[in-house]
């Protein structure tokens, strides 16, 4: 897939696993930093839980970005 930054218009080619049952689209923080995505810090971090209800080891979602897929 190709991501296009809303602010920069820069295109990034990426492989992705799409989950039609997911509640949102999540991008790994290392991917975001590597590709220099424009990130905005969330006022309230969003906790992430695994399917079994346990907290995810990667922690809460702390940033947002706007990309066109």
């Amino acid at each position: 897939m190709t991501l296009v930054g809303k602010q920069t218009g820069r295109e990034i080619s990426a492989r992705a696993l799409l989950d039609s049952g997911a509640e949102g689209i999540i991008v790994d923080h290392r991917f975001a930093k590597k590709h220099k995505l424009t990130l905005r810090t969330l006022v309230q971090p969003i906790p992430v839980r695994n399917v079994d209800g346990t907290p995810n080891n990667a922690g809460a979602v702390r940033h947002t970005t706007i990309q066109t897929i």
Side-chain angles (χ1 to χ4, degrees), residues 5-51:
K6 181 172 180 172
Q7 290 183 341
T8 65
R10 191 166 44 94
E11 293 186 9
I12 300 168
S13 180
R15 290 184 180 181
L17 172 66
L18 301 178
D19 181 354
S20 60
E23 293 185 23
I25 298 172
I26 307 297
V27 176
D28 181 73
H29 71 278
R30 291 171 295 211
F31 179 90
K33 286 186 177 200
K34 176 181 176 183
H35 294 284
K36 298 179 181 152
L37 300 183
T38 302
L39 300 176
R40 293 186 178 165
T41 302
L42 294 170
V43 174
Q44 185 76 31
I46 302 168
V48 178
R49 297 205 169 270
N50 300 317
V51 174

